[in-house]
């Protein structure tokens, strides 16, 4: 299924920025969609953004549009989430995930990285 390892989380003040990284290994992801999800305490996990590995087509949740940018680096087998203008409500554990291009189920997940935004 492949392995995904997130990094880059931390504590930041509201209005600040963080860049999350996801290192992908163990399989070829060229026909995959890479996604970022998040889960805040007491809430369900929610979709944040996704990108197709081959064409780089992106999709965002309404709550992060204009503030977050997802990208990938095929040479490094990595996916990134640039988060700007962070808000306290962005506080959550952020997960990287992967699914095959023509399926709806994300089959590979990272362990998550904590993002905390202070007001």
């Amino acid at each position: 299924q492949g392995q995904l390892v997130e990094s880059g989380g931390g504590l930041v003040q509201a209005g600040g920025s963080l860049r999350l990284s996801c290192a992908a290994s163990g399989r070829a992801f060229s026909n995959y969609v890479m996604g970022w999800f998040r889960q805040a305490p007491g809430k369900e996990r929610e979709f944040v953004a996704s990108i197709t590995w081959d064409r780089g087509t992106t999709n965002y949740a309404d709550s992060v549009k204009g503030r977050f940018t997802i990208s990938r680096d095929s040479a490094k087998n990595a996916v990134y989430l640039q988060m700007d203008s962070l808000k306290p409500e962005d506080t959550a554990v952020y997960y990287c995930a992967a699914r095959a291009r023509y399926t709806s189920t994300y089959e590979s997940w990272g362990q998550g990285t904590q993002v905390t935004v202070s007001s």
Side-chain angles (χ1 to χ4, degrees):
Q1 289 187 334
Q3 290 78 45
L4 304 173
V5 179
E6 304 96 334
S7 61
L11 173 64
V12 64
Q13 288 189 335
S17 298
L18 278 176
R19 187 194 194 206
L20 304 183
S21 299
C22 173
S25 63
R27 68 164 303 138
F29 288 94
S30 56
N31 290 321
Y32 273 64
V33 177
M34 307 300 294
W36 284 98
F37 291 75
R38 66 186 182 186
Q39 186 167 21
K43 295 187 177 181
E44 292 187 355
R45 185 168 57 194
E46 64 175 358
F47 169 80
V48 175
S50 66
I51 187 168
T52 60
W53 198 276
D54 52 355
R55 297 185 178 184
T57 303
T58 59
N59 188 30
Y60 295 93
D62 288 343
S63 59
V64 306
K65 278 181 182 177
R67 300 189 299 121
F68 291 11
T69 303
I70 188 171
S71 62
R72 86 273 189 249
D73 186 330
S74 298
K76 296 183 178 180
N77 243 24
V79 179
Y80 306 100
L81 186 68
Q82 177 66 41
M83 305 185 295
D84 298 318
S85 302
L86 282 162
K87 305 175 181 180
E89 52 263 43
D90 294 318
T91 295
V93 177
Y94 283 70
Y95 298 90
C96 178
R99 64 172 173 86
R101 185 73 183 270
Y102 299 105
T103 67
S104 58
T105 302
Y106 283 83
E107 61 185 51
S108 299
W109 292 84
Q111 82 289 350
T113 185
Q114 177 70 47
V115 171
T116 303
V117 184
S118 63
S119 57

